[in-house]
Every structure is written in structure tokens, then in C-alpha cells.
Amino acid sequence: EGDADSLMEVLEATIVGVDMVLSEVVKQVQLACLERAELIDRCRKHFLAMFAHMATALFTSQAQLRGVHERGEGLEVTIGPLREEHKLAVQKIASLQLELKS
């Protein structure tokens, strides 16, 4: 969980920085060529949309993994007593096999 949060912090800082740089590039290029500025701005918006999609996917995956982990913990609680029952059953079978041999 912490890794995903750390990754998001780094990505967010990077995204903000790239957005600021590209916005400034658009302003500067716009003075010389409006068409190029529009193209750069479209690229900037595409970049932001792509990272927003990645962030959503990361959070969704993180939530799904958390759910799997919680279900696994619940199963471990159920399995514990079954393991003990299995151990006792194996001992009982071994005991019965010894009785049959006698």
C-alpha cells in the first residue's frame, strides 16, 4: 500500500512539473506559430489524460489487492481449525491401521 502511495506522490509531482513546463512552452510558441502551440497543447492535454487514467488504474488495482489480502486473512482463520482436524484425522487413521494389523 505504501509503495503505491509513494509512487503516486512522485507521479503527481512529475505530472505537475511537466504540465507547468508544457504550458509555458505553449505560451512561448504561441507568439510565433499558433498552430504549433495548439498541437503542443493537445499533446499536453493527452499526457495529462493518460496519467489520470494510470492513476485511476493504480488506485483500482490497489483496492482490489487489498480486498484479496483481506479475503486471504479470512480464509486463514477458517483453515486453521481445519488443519487441526486434518492432523487429528491422520492420527486416527494411523491408529486404526495399527489396530487392523494387530
Side-chain angles (χ1 to χ4, degrees), residues 3 6 11 19 29-30 34 37 39 42 56 58 88 91 93 97-99:
D3 292 338
S6 299
L11 279 177
D19 184 41
V29 171
Q30 194 170 16
L34 183 61
L39 179 61
R42 284 178 51 200
T56 301
L58 181 62
L88 293 173
Q91 290 172 351
I93 289 169
Q97 286 175 338
L98 285 174
E99 282 183 34

Side-chain angles (χ1 to χ4, degrees), residues 32-86:
C33 182
L34 183 61
E35 291 83 12
R36 287 185 183 170
E38 288 173 353
L39 179 61
I40 294 169
D41 193 48
R42 284 178 51 200
C43 291
R44 179 187 69 84
K45 289 175 183 174
H46 179 74
F47 172 82
L48 292 174
M50 179 183 64
F51 274 102
H53 181 70
M54 287 174 50
T56 301
L58 181 62
F59 280 122
T60 301
S61 297
Q62 185 180 13
Q64 289 172 342
L65 284 174
R66 209 176 298 123
V68 167
H69 180 72
E70 289 169 1
R71 285 190 301 275
E73 288 176 346
L75 288 174
E76 189 61 39
V77 170
T78 303
I79 290 172
L82 292 174
R83 284 186 178 143
E84 187 60 33
E85 285 180 37
H86 176 263

